[in-house]
Amino acid sequence: MSSTTPAVEMKDIVIRFPGVLANDHVNLTLRQGEIHALLGENGAGKSTLMNALAGLYKPVSGTTKVNGELVDFNSPKDAIAKGIGMVHQHFKLVPTHTVTENILLGMDEPRFLMNLKKYDEKILELEEQYGLYVDPAAKIWQLPVGAQQRVEILKTLYRGAEILIMDEPTAVLAPQEIDDLMVTMRSMTDQGKSIIFISHKLHEVIAVADRVTVLRKGIVTAHGKSLEGLTKRNLAQLMVGRDVVFSVEKEEREAGDVVLEMKDVYAKNNKGLPALQGISLRVHSGEILGIAGVGGNGQSELAETITGLRECEGLIEINGEEISNQPPIEAIARGVSHIPEDRTTVGSAPSLSITDNMIMKNYNQEPIGNGWSINFARAGEHAQKLKEKYNILAPNVRTPAGKLSGGNLQKLILAREISSYPRLMVAMQPTRGLDVGAIEAIQSLLLEQRQSGTAILLISEELDELLSLSDRIAVISDGKIVGAVLAEDADINEIGLMMTGGTDD
Amino acid sequence: MNFTIILHAGVATGTVLLFAAIGEIFTERSGILNLGVEGMMLLGAMAGFSISLATESPWLGVLVAMLAGGALSLAHGVVTIHFQADQVVSGLSLTFLGTGLALVLGEGLTGQTPPLLLDYNIPLLSSIPVIGPALFQDHGILVYVGYLAAPLAWYYINKTRPGMHLRAVGQKPSAADSVGVNVYGIRYIYTFVGGCLAGLAGAIISLSVSPGWYSSQTTSGQGWIAIALVIFAQWNPMRAALGGYLFGMLRRLILDLQGPRILLGFANPLYINSNYSFFLIMTPYVLTIIALIFGSRAVAKKRAGSPSALGLPYVRGERGK
């Protein structure tokens, strides 16, 4: 193998999932000893491509060469045998095992007796070689995330990996840990390893990578570009693209009174870490405020504090009445409706019928219920009416909600929320994973609501959607609003840059 | 009441719980909860008894008892591992199936006298004062094997490669799967091992500790106590052994308390009115419930041996498992 033979050469890779073309004739070339960034938005097909290289998926067509040799992987074991190791975003570690045990798991040596002391020594040597320090005798659950990641890397190195795929390795790390990781990556390439680094954070890519391949919606928009001379702005452009904005008719409308007011709201995420760090915003009647941001920057927590599902510090008011830290029923009573991010477990009860799901918010109100009994005949009529009005495709209203397609389920949720005449609608990723027809239907419903005077907080990772629907767009990053613009003068690259925490350079 | 006698009886009856509990520890450590121990034990007790009766060989009886328990547990394996059904439901059904089979096939065995497992003395050790006669005299070979079984099981689980794979499969099957460990295969093996040991426990009852076939009274709920013992022992074979022997001693103590007219200088209420002894007989079962409550709280607090994938079917590609 000469040093000019690429470590990995993927050509015309096509990977298809039901209804989605995840990779459309993708090319990727990884040179020996380089750090190659694979950049793209969520859902652009980065992880899919890498899972194919790691032997987890099989491409429909295309060829892969490793060190010049044509390969065809049927399982991760085949990929490992060719020296390809993947550091998964969700660690594959046994929490109650020690570091050494995790590294030895599945290996042929030792045969029977563990003799952990001896292998601890071996692993210490490996740690020394790459500067990846972690106590081999520690149990995984006792280690911070950064150290767990080092164990994952050690696991691939111990198995003799020459080519490392790192799937968004910085997503779980604190800033200091990210710096350490970058030093480690450099030390690995200095010793001849080649690294593919998946990320959507521009400054990290610029800081550590030699070259970059950019994916957008399954298509390569930049193939192995040298990072020299590239700015964040250039990368944002390549990543977000300048596609024609998805056009839905939006009528002119003057915004009305303030409906939602948030002042200095702080909240923690499920792990107890700060997720919202002083959010202040206002949404007016008849206005759509779009919240743009890379996933996991506090969006879920934002929606949950407003709808009463998460405790917070600070003030949240609906039409001047405080609703912060009150149960969801208080928010509902004041006209807050919620289109949750997860429509199958939060937004609906999949095993209950369409009727049951439709009446979840008004089952105790006349004419459907009187507080202790439910008139199922009326409930059925109510559901039937909404089913027809919102064009929900299902055999009948007794069909379990779980049998509906994503688009029809989302229409059901919107029908339920809209029929309660909300003052504020908090919509989280309302069109994610839907097909084009359903997206259009959902978007028109949101615009209709705006027209009828509802204040809408639209949280989305789709910039095109935010630009076409919103009146104003605020950008959230690391739990803070880092900028706000009027949608009509918004520059998609500008927003993309703010989203990734960058400033123009 | 004599301590040596109580200890002697305690280790004998405790051996039954010991084998059943260690078997269940192996099964649960792989992530499979098998609540059918009582059924597998009773089937084992019946099979051992009737094979010994038919062939005149108690050891062949023991072997067949183990295979019978193992075969029954494989049914649980197919249902829960292959078809990914609910492990609690399947385990409970297994109890009914095993008990039913044992009662039907054991019809007419009551009162028969097959050759039993013989008792032996261990030279030298049995001459240690007090505990020597209790631990090393007049016990079946399987009692002596039991002394070694717990430390060996502990060593196997914690210090060997297959033991490490077993723990990994019960704690995080997706991690084990990602490095090529055969999750399904390992779960089948240890479900079978658990069944075999439950069958063995049953045969020890009917051929050694309290010989005879008394239909469902043969095991009298000891399978359930074994399951409780697993939680109480926090999936540690050494603690399970200790707990098993303590339960065994308690059973003997209960018998002894009912005998004397004067107890600790007072008139023995259990002797005067034998109805009170019902409460006494209840004690092991009440203690089981108490041990369960406190045991599971301790498990929840610490990261004690509890396998985190216990009771969850493994499906490749599902996130977060």
Side-chain angles (χ1 to χ4, degrees):
Chain A
M1 140 183 104
S2 81
S3 61
T4 51
T5 317
V8 174
E9 201 176 1
M10 299 180 91
K11 264 214 174 109
D12 288 326
I13 300 289
V14 178
I15 298 173
R16 213 177 261 126
F17 294 124
V20 193
L21 193 56
N23 285 163
D24 187 1
H25 295 88
V26 171
N27 295 321
L28 178 93
T29 311
L30 174 70
R31 291 185 191 151
Q32 302 285 351
E34 74 165 345
I35 299 180
H36 192 113
L38 186 56
L39 187 67
E41 287 190 292
N42 286 341
K46 298 169 301 213
S47 298
T48 309
L49 183 67
M50 287 304 104
N51 279 328
L53 183 56
L56 283 162
Y57 299 151
K58 241 178 134 62
V60 178
S61 66
T63 57
T64 303
K65 283 184 187 170
V66 175
N67 294 324
E69 182 194 343
L70 206 61
V71 292
D72 182 23
F73 298 144
N74 286 311
S75 82
K77 275 206 158 173
D78 297 348
I80 292 168
K82 291 284 172 207
I84 296 175
M86 184 151 174
V87 177
H88 293 271
Q89 196 180 351
H90 305 278
F91 302 146
K92 305 251 183 230
L93 298 170
V94 183
T96 45
H97 281 192
T98 70
V99 169
T100 303
E101 284 180 311
N102 265 286
I103 293 170
L104 295 178
L105 189 66
M107 303 287 292
D108 293 332
E109 292 278 325
R111 288 304 313 168
F112 188 73
L113 292 184
M114 286 307 290
N115 193 4
L116 281 179
K117 287 244 166 60
K118 177 180 133 201
Y119 287 94
D120 283 352
E121 292 294 316
K122 257 185 147 173
I123 281 153
L124 272 176
E125 276 168 35
L126 193 68
E127 291 183 7
E128 201 71 46
Q129 192 184 343
Y130 293 98
L132 285 160
Y133 297 106
V134 52
D135 175 11
K139 299 241 160 92
I140 295 297
W141 65 270
Q142 299 168 321
L143 297 173
V145 191
Q148 294 188 16
Q149 185 171 60
R150 292 199 283 280
V151 179
E152 279 284 14
I153 297 172
L154 285 166
K155 222 164 104 179
T156 60
L157 292 173
Y158 190 84
R159 285 164 168 73
E162 288 299 319
I163 298 156
L164 277 97
I165 306 167
M166 307 185 77
D167 190 358
E168 306 215 5
T170 58
V172 291
L173 299 182
Q176 178 54 37
E177 292 175 319
I178 293 177
D179 294 344
D180 291 346
L181 175 69
M182 289 184 174
V183 172
T184 307
M185 287 167 71
R186 270 288 151 228
S187 119
M188 288 194 291
T189 51
D190 288 347
Q191 298 182 53
K193 313 277 180 195
S194 318
I195 298 176
I196 299 177
F197 170 63
I198 306 182
S199 181
H200 55 224
K201 291 184 186 159
L202 304 176
H203 58 275
E204 289 170 3
V205 170
I206 288 176
V208 75
D210 300 305
R211 296 190 309 140
V212 61
T213 292
V214 185
L215 277 179
R216 171 156 34 98
K217 293 181 179 155
I219 298 166
V220 174
T221 54
H223 174 234
K225 254 190 174 193
S226 166
L227 270 160
E228 251 166 78
L230 280 183
T231 62
K232 287 185 195 173
R233 184 174 277 270
N234 298 140
L235 286 176
Q237 224 164 19
L238 288 166
M239 179 167 123
V240 181
R242 270 207 270 234
D243 277 349
V244 186
V245 170
F246 194 75
S247 59
V248 275
E249 289 288 311
K250 189 166 85 181
E251 291 170 56
E252 284 296 311
R253 195 187 193 292
E254 281 288 305
D257 303 332
V258 175
V259 175
L260 170 71
E261 164 118 44
M262 297 180 79
K263 269 189 204 151
D264 281 325
V265 174
Y266 288 80
K268 291 186 170 144
N269 64 15
N270 291 342
K271 288 181 180 161
L273 302 170
L276 298 183
Q277 315 198 47
I279 297 263
S280 297
L281 54 82
R282 280 180 179 167
V283 192
H284 299 81
S285 149
E287 177 193 49
I288 297 183
L289 173 66
I291 302 285
V294 174
N297 273 287
Q299 290 97 323
S300 314
E301 290 81 5
L302 177 64
E304 286 166 5
T305 52
I306 299 170
T307 50
L309 294 168
R310 184 176 290 274
E311 288 183 5
C312 63
E313 284 170 42
L315 184 71
I316 304 173
E317 284 182 349
I318 298 290
N319 288 42
E321 290 179 81
E322 184 173 351
I323 57 157
S324 26
N325 291 322
Q326 308 229 18
I329 196 153
E330 295 295 325
I332 293 169
R334 283 168 181 75
V336 177
S337 65
H338 185 198
I339 315 291
E341 183 176 19
D342 187 344
R343 50 181 93 95
T344 49
T345 59
V346 183
S348 65
S351 55
L352 297 186
S353 68
I354 292 180
T355 305
D356 290 341
N357 275 287
M358 283 285 194
I359 62 166
M360 266 178 190
K361 277 192 168 164
N362 57 352
Y363 66 92
N364 55 359
Q365 288 158 16
E366 294 286 356
I368 289 165
N370 54 18
W372 64 277
S373 75
I374 295 172
N375 184 331
F376 276 102
R378 288 209 196 114
E381 283 164 27
H382 172 75
Q384 183 63 33
K385 231 171 29 201
L386 290 175
K387 177 174 174 286
E388 277 159 25
K389 183 170 170 196
Y390 291 91
N391 194 23
I392 297 165
L393 299 178
N396 56 55
V397 291
R398 292 183 303 279
T399 310
K403 292 249 158 82
L404 299 179
S405 73
N408 282 305
L409 185 60
Q410 192 70 313
K411 281 195 249 176
L412 186 162
I413 294 166
L414 270 158
R416 177 181 71 213
E417 299 299 326
I418 291 173
S419 65
S420 65
Y421 303 107
R423 286 182 183 153
L424 171 73
M425 180 173 271
V426 179
M428 178 101 188
Q429 305 266 32
T431 61
R432 177 152 75 182
L434 302 185
D435 61 57
V436 181
I439 290 176
E440 206 175 353
I442 302 294
Q443 291 184 341
S444 333
L445 282 173
L446 289 174
L447 285 176
E448 260 172 48
Q449 277 302 294
R450 165 180 174 269
Q451 213 51 38
S452 67
T454 308
I456 298 176
L457 186 73
L458 174 64
I459 303 170
S460 176
E461 284 171 38
E462 296 282 332
L463 276 182
D464 292 349
E465 173 172 278
L466 287 171
L467 282 170
S468 63
L469 295 178
S470 312
D471 298 289
R472 290 187 296 138
I473 296 175
V475 181
I476 191 170
S477 175
D478 204 15
K480 296 184 203 98
I481 301 287
V482 292
V485 287
L486 288 176
E488 54 216 38
D489 352 302
D491 173 7
I492 197 162
N493 294 326
E494 192 86 34
I495 295 174
L497 211 52
M498 285 197 274
M499 273 166 61
T500 43
T503 44
D504 207 353
D505 47 9
Chain B
M1 280 212 290
N2 174 315
F3 177 72
T4 304
I5 291 174
I6 291 176
L7 188 59
H8 187 272
V11 292
T13 47
T15 301
V16 174
L17 290 173
L18 171 106
F19 280 112
I22 288 180
E24 183 68 7
I25 286 174
F26 276 118
T27 306
E28 292 195 12
R29 282 279 190 157
S30 80
I32 298 292
L33 176 70
N34 189 349
L35 293 179
V37 180
E38 177 77 5
M40 298 186 294
M41 261 172 92
L42 196 63
L43 190 68
M46 185 283 299
F49 191 85
S50 77
I51 294 295
S52 179
L53 194 65
T55 65
E56 303 270 303
S57 162
W59 286 105
L60 192 62
V62 168
L63 184 70
V64 173
M66 289 178 75
L67 291 177
L72 200 57
S73 73
L74 280 184
H76 181 66
V78 171
V79 170
T80 59
I81 301 169
H82 190 82
F83 293 106
Q84 286 144 10
D86 189 287
Q87 297 181 8
V88 173
V89 174
S90 169
L92 290 177
S93 328
L94 203 68
T95 297
F96 292 125
L97 180 64
T99 313
L101 274 175
L103 294 186
V104 171
L105 299 174
E107 186 70 40
L109 288 181
T110 310
Q112 305 271 16
T113 48
L116 302 176
L117 296 172
L118 300 176
D119 290 343
Y120 299 91
N121 298 340
I122 307 271
L124 295 179
L125 288 176
S126 56
S127 50
I128 301 171
V130 187
I131 62 164
L135 301 182
F136 302 107
Q137 203 171 310
D138 295 328
H139 281 306
I141 288 178
L142 288 168
V143 171
Y144 302 126
V145 172
Y147 294 157
L148 299 175
L152 281 178
W154 182 89
Y155 190 81
Y156 178 85
I157 290 172
N158 291 297
K159 298 286 172 192
T160 70
R161 189 175 91 113
M164 177 182 74
H165 285 183
L166 164 65
R167 283 181 290 131
V169 164
Q171 286 288 354
K172 199 160 180 198
S174 64
D177 192 27
S178 77
V179 288
V181 174
N182 184 348
V183 175
Y184 290 170
I186 285 183
R187 288 188 164 184
Y188 269 113
I189 288 170
Y190 290 104
T191 302
F192 182 71
V193 168
C196 290
L197 289 178
L200 173 65
I204 295 174
I205 299 177
S206 64
L207 291 175
S208 173
V209 174
S210 41
W213 174 250
Y214 311 100
S215 65
S216 69
Q217 286 304 302
T218 315
T219 51
S220 62
Q222 289 191 72
W224 298 107
I225 293 181
I227 291 172
L229 203 54
V230 171
I231 299 170
F232 166 74
Q234 297 175 355
W235 293 268
N236 178 343
M238 298 298 281
R239 293 180 61 147
L242 191 70
Y245 293 139
L246 284 177
F247 265 111
M249 286 169 71
L250 187 67
R251 285 169 80 97
R252 176 67 204 204
L253 184 69
I254 287 164
L255 287 179
D256 283 2
L257 282 178
Q258 296 168 56
R261 191 187 296 258
I262 304 290
L263 195 66
L264 304 169
F266 294 98
N268 186 354
L270 301 165
Y271 182 81
I272 297 163
N273 185 345
S274 61
N275 281 338
Y276 287 137
S277 55
F278 288 126
F279 293 102
L280 204 59
I281 296 166
M282 237 185 253
T283 332
Y285 304 95
V286 172
L287 275 181
T288 303
I289 293 171
I290 292 171
L292 268 184
I293 293 167
F294 286 96
S296 27
R297 278 185 56 190
V299 167
K301 259 187 214 153
K302 302 183 283 174
R303 273 178 180 266
S306 157
S308 38
L310 182 63
L312 303 173
Y314 176 64
V315 188
R316 188 180 280 187
E318 260 183 34
R319 267 202 179 170
K321 280 197 183 161

